[in-house]
């Protein structure tokens, strides 16, 4: 099923079920007021949401037909506007290989042996069409297209097999990084709080079964498309070159602690190695710059400027939008 949170002026929004083709929606307030509330009692709530989803897709049921309305992504908040916890992993290691090569270093061996996770802000998550509002272009503003999962409750020490069964929903994300603030943050050695200010999400969250055979071994084997200022810059395969799957990432998070329902675990920026059959482009501007440097030149691709736009979308097996699109414009914060 596909779920969205509509902006009704509250912190968590109003839960809605969205049709498979993203054309119509139905308020689910008779089942759960918000996605956050639904996750807290998923075993009881999810079957009811699924029944409404089936009615909406089939066009059956008097209530579903009467209360359905045209789905408008501009009304959407992030599907889960506030996470219990949010982390992301270093799982597309090609991305980090390029980064470290540009710095004259190599990825630590430990990164290839086990999932590495980093804490991220779990509040202030943006909806799909909300503007990116930041103060200074010279911070090196960069988009970053990736995937994420929302988990259910998970006990400490849970195995990847157990964790796989607690993946409730999948998300499409745009992680903003201020690249020119990273060196000082890394040198200080105490986290990247200022360099990673905000993340936005596509309008709907989807259950893994919506991916069909493309959901395999905890990975989403589907194409991801990125456009910058209207120009296509990346067509990537999210299932390829993913060193650790979402079940492994979630299990790694649970190694020393229980995981609470509503936790978001991100993949990091999707990145593919170039092959004879596939020149993927990029899902972040930094990666384009690292490739320029790796080829022996200077980094000439600029970071985002005020007025720039980014569009991120994933297609399903039929070539249709799976999550809906992230479409954002970078704007200057009021002085």
């Amino acid at each position: 099923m596909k779920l969205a949170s509509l902006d009704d002026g509250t912190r968590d929004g109003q839960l809605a079920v969205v049709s498979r083709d993203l054309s119509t929606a139905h308020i689910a307030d008779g089942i759960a007021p918000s996605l956050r509330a639904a996750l807290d009692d998923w075993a009881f709530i999810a079957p009811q949401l699924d029944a409404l989803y089936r009615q909406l897709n089939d066009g059956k049921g008097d209530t579903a037909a009467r209360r359905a309305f045209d789905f408008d992504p501009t009304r959407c908040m992030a599907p889960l506007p506030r996470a219990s916890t949010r982390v992301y992993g270093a799982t597309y290691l090609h991305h980090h290989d390029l980064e470290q090569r540009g710095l004259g270093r190599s990825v630590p061996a430990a990164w290839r042996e086990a999932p590495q996770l980093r804490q991220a802000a779990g509040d202030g998550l943006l909806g799909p069409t909300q503007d990116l509002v930041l103060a200074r272009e010279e911070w090196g503003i960069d988009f970053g297209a990736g995937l994420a999962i929302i988990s259910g409750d998970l006990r400490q020490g849970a195995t990847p097999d157990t964790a796989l069964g607690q993946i409730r929903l999948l998300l499409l994300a745009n992680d903003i990084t201020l690249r020119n603030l990273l060196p000082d943050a890394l040198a200080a050695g105490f986290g990247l709080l200022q360099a990673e200010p905000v993340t936005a999400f596509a309008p709907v969250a989807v259950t893994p079964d919506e991916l069909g055979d493309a959901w395999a071994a905890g990975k989403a084997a589907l194409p991801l498309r990125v456009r910058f200022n209207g120009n296509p810059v990346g067509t990537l395969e999210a299932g390829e070159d993913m060193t650790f799957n979402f079940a492994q990432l979630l299990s790694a998070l649970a190694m020393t602690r229980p995981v609470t329902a509503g936790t978001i675990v991100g993949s990091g920026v999707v990145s593919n190695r170039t092959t004879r059959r596939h020149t993927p482009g990029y899902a972040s501007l930094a990666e384009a710059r690292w490739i320029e440097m790796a080829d022996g030149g200077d980094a000439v691709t600029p970071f985002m400027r005020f007025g720039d736009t980014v569009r991120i979308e994933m297609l399903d097996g039929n070539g249709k939008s799976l999550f809906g699109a992230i479409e954002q414009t970078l704007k200057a914060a009021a002085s």
Side-chain angles (χ1 to χ4, degrees):
M1 58 186 163
K2 299 190 176 186
L3 304 173
S5 294
L6 304 183
D7 189 353
D8 64 350
T10 66
R11 290 182 183 271
D12 296 314
Q14 188 174 35
L15 181 62
V17 174
V18 183
S19 63
R20 181 169 287 114
D21 64 3
L22 306 180
S23 64
T24 58
H26 191 294
I27 298 297
D29 56 359
I31 301 172
S34 67
L35 181 55
R36 191 176 181 89
L39 290 163
D40 284 339
D41 196 13
W42 190 253
F44 177 69
I45 296 296
Q48 299 176 63
L49 293 174
D50 187 60
L52 180 56
Y53 180 65
R54 293 175 185 276
Q55 292 176 19
L56 187 62
N57 285 316
D58 294 341
K60 297 178 180 178
D62 291 341
T63 301
R66 186 171 64 252
R67 297 187 62 191
F69 55 91
D70 291 341
F71 179 60
D72 180 3
T74 66
R75 293 182 57 193
C76 290
M77 306 168 73
L80 186 64
R82 295 186 293 163
S84 300
T85 300
R86 191 167 74 91
V87 302
Y88 64 92
T91 186
Y92 291 96
L93 290 184
H94 178 57
H95 180 78
H96 300 285
D97 281 333
L98 290 169
E99 177 184 29
Q100 294 303 308
R101 195 182 312 164
L103 297 171
R105 304 197 296 251
S106 59
V107 169
W111 289 30
R112 303 187 188 280
E113 296 166 0
Q116 305 297 308
L117 298 172
R118 181 173 282 158
Q119 194 88 28
D123 58 351
L125 304 178
L126 297 183
T129 62
Q130 285 184 264
D131 293 330
L132 302 169
V133 181
L134 291 162
R136 299 181 184 176
E137 289 180 343
E138 58 264 33
W139 284 340
I141 303 164
D142 193 7
F143 57 81
L147 292 167
I149 59 99
I150 302 176
S151 82
D153 291 320
L154 197 64
R155 62 174 176 79
Q156 179 183 324
T159 66
D161 284 345
T162 300
L164 184 63
Q166 291 298 309
I167 294 175
R168 302 303 192 206
L169 295 159
L170 293 165
L171 304 166
L172 181 64
N174 179 21
D175 286 312
I176 299 300
T177 301
L178 307 180
R179 297 287 179 181
N180 291 340
L181 299 188
L182 280 175
D184 287 346
L186 292 170
F190 203 64
L192 305 179
L193 179 67
Q194 303 296 349
E196 297 180 339
V198 69
T199 296
F201 293 89
V204 301
V206 307
T207 48
D209 61 291
E210 286 293 319
L211 277 66
D213 293 340
W215 178 248
K219 299 180 182 181
L222 289 170
L224 176 68
R225 292 185 176 178
V226 183
R227 300 180 72 91
F228 184 49
N229 289 330
N231 300 310
V233 297
T235 300
L236 303 108
E237 297 295 333
E240 293 182 9
D241 304 314
M242 189 179 188
T243 306
F244 304 105
N245 64 38
F246 280 113
Q248 291 170 306
L249 295 176
L250 187 52
S251 175
L253 178 60
M255 183 176 75
T256 60
R257 74 201 69 199
V259 175
T260 303
T263 292
I264 295 177
V265 179
S267 68
V269 178
V270 175
S271 180
N272 290 160
R273 300 180 187 279
T274 300
T275 66
R276 290 183 179 179
R277 67 175 182 82
H278 184 44
T279 303
Y282 52 86
S284 74
L285 295 170
E287 188 155 316
R289 292 168 62 87
W290 297 331
I291 291 170
E292 290 161 356
M293 294 167 65
D295 290 339
D298 295 327
V300 296
T301 296
F303 290 118
M304 295 183 75
R305 304 294 189 189
F306 296 137
D308 284 348
T309 61
V310 61
R311 177 184 172 94
I312 300 168
E313 193 169 23
M314 175 165 274
L315 306 182
D316 64 17
N318 296 315
K320 304 296 184 182
S321 185
L322 180 62
F323 301 93
I326 299 169
E327 296 187 80
Q328 297 181 287
T329 300
L330 176 64
K331 294 190 176 180
S335 57

